[in-house]
Amino acid sequence: MPERLRELWNRIKEWWSRFTTRQKGIIIGLAVMTVIIFVVIIVIVSKPQYTKLITAETSAKAAEVTAVLDENNIKYRTSQDALRIEVENSQYSQAVLALGSSGFVPDDFSLNDVFTGSLSATTGEQNKRYQLYLEKKMSAVLTAIEGIDEVYVNFTIPEQTGTLIAQQEEASAYIQLVKTDGSITESKAANLARAIAAFLRNDDLSHITILGEDGELLFAGADAGSITGAASSVTELQSQAQTVLNSQVKRMLFGTAQFNNIEVVSNLQVDFASYEKAIKKYTPNDGRAEGMLSHKETYENESTSGIGGVPGTDSNGEGTTYVTSDYDQSSSTTTETEEDYLPNEYSEYATIAAGSIKKESSSMAITAIHYTYIKEEDVERQGLLDGGLTWEDYQLANSDTVRMEVDSDLIRAAAMASGIPEENIQIVAYTSPIFVDKESLQINWTTVLSAVLLLLILGLLVFVVLRSMGSKKEE
């Protein structure tokens, strides 16, 4: 082994001795320059890059935001006026989730790429591009979370027509966790739902649905609703009852594994009147056909009467002409009895408060969406992008939903789960596409710069070596 090392060292010395003093200086200078360039690249790459997170309206709001970032160990920096807050690029997703869980909404993202395009683009096409942009942004935020490797995101954003109803309508979100490490529990899914609701600027979580990797329902809107709490009014009780009923039916329908997004709206009829109810039941004593004797009356009458005499007119006095019959004496007996019994008596008095639900006259409407995943690789393999058609244009042309036929068993199951008659339940189902972009190489400017500098350095070294070898041959 030492002999091989000495032989290698001798070869290096022999190779180095071929160069002149000037050439050796150039090689050493290039080597030093290479080291310096690599050090500069490492410093630039390792220097943390910051992205604007939020611009607070007041210093008090900025203090609340920074307090949230400090609690989650997120590095940040502020502007001179302390209103603009920036975070490191590597912690941007974590910061968005932290602010969302605390009720803060990050600043709007840049939409220049979303609305750039043909002048003939309609408002509907721009809305679809904007929705696609938000879906990709939320997908990037979720995949940056530890434990989530791949996720499908689908938003349903209501079209703004300028009416008050359209302004009050909230967006809905369907999240499918495709690849995870199994650490996403229902409690973590609830935190994700809060962040998504803040991202969409929703007031509550009733339109957020999150499914796990195996299709398990991790979060279904207002899943924590309960009518066991004290309701301040009958109307509030009705709202809470509808919330719980909607959640139960939604869980049942998700269990069929036929739909990816389900919305349930029930209209429960509530009786706001209060009633008093009295019930009396009478039963005989054990072992007897009647109850205890409470009153008894008995009346008896016995009489005897008859007419006697010699038959004919001998017994008549003067002036009488009727004939006395020849029959014996007669008698009669009368008996009368009246008895009153007391059977066992059971009395029940109940007061029925206002707020009883009449499910026989209630109704329910259910909308369900089945998502079909369309991958860009499959579309290209089928030749559907030939002829200059881009992937974005294909998405815009095939993004419409299609009506589905609903199985009657689903209506029957919803009726059994809710107690509402089948004829009062309506289910409308659609098939909606979800487009999956093919994976592309993530190359940033630092990687390109490092590769270009490395090629230049290698080229210079090769040039110097070849030129020195040519000069050696001329000598």
Side-chain angles (χ1 to χ4, degrees), residues 58-71:
T58 61
S59 57
K61 289 291 184 182
E64 294 179 4
V65 173
T66 55
V68 173
L69 298 178
D70 290 334
E71 291 176 359

Side-chain angles (χ1 to χ4, degrees), residues 437-452:
D437 300 336
K438 65 180 179 181
E439 297 183 358
S440 58
L441 296 177
Q442 301 294 331
I443 302 177
N444 51 32
W445 67 272
T446 56
T447 304
V448 175
L449 179 60
S450 301
V452 171

Side-chain angles (χ1 to χ4, degrees), residues 190-319:
N191 294 333
L192 294 178
R194 295 186 183 93
I196 296 171
F199 182 84
L200 296 176
R201 300 179 185 270
N202 286 3
D203 294 332
D204 53 39
L205 310 178
S206 58
H207 301 287
I208 310 296
T209 301
I210 302 178
L211 290 183
E213 186 174 359
D214 54 355
E216 179 187 3
L217 182 62
L218 298 179
F219 187 85
D223 207 10
S226 174
I227 61 173
T228 57
S232 59
S233 65
V234 177
T235 304
E236 183 179 352
L237 176 64
Q238 179 187 18
S239 177
Q240 292 178 356
Q242 290 177 163
T243 300
V244 174
L245 184 63
N246 296 344
S247 179
Q248 291 174 348
V249 175
K250 184 184 293 187
R251 279 186 174 275
M252 182 275 299
L253 293 177
F254 270 121
T256 62
Q258 295 188 22
F259 303 103
N260 305 105
N261 191 12
I262 298 173
E263 293 295 335
V264 180
V265 178
S266 60
N267 181 19
L268 298 180
Q269 297 298 320
V270 180
D271 190 356
F272 294 96
S274 58
Y275 303 92
E276 291 185 358
K277 186 177 182 181
I279 301 175
K280 285 188 176 183
K281 295 182 180 180
Y282 299 95
T283 57
N285 293 321
D286 295 338
R288 297 176 59 91
E290 72 282 341
M292 300 295 293
L293 182 64
S294 63
H295 175 71
K296 181 177 182 180
E297 292 183 4
T298 300
Y299 169 74
E300 296 182 359
N301 181 22
E302 182 178 355
S303 62
T304 302
S305 63
I307 300 176
V310 178
T313 60
D314 294 340
S315 298
N316 294 341
E318 294 180 359

Side-chain angles (χ1 to χ4, degrees), residues 373-387:
Y373 297 98
I374 302 176
K375 296 184 178 181
E376 185 177 359
E377 296 89 343
D378 298 336
V379 175
E380 291 178 348
R381 184 169 55 255
Q382 296 172 5
L384 300 178
L385 298 182
D386 297 341

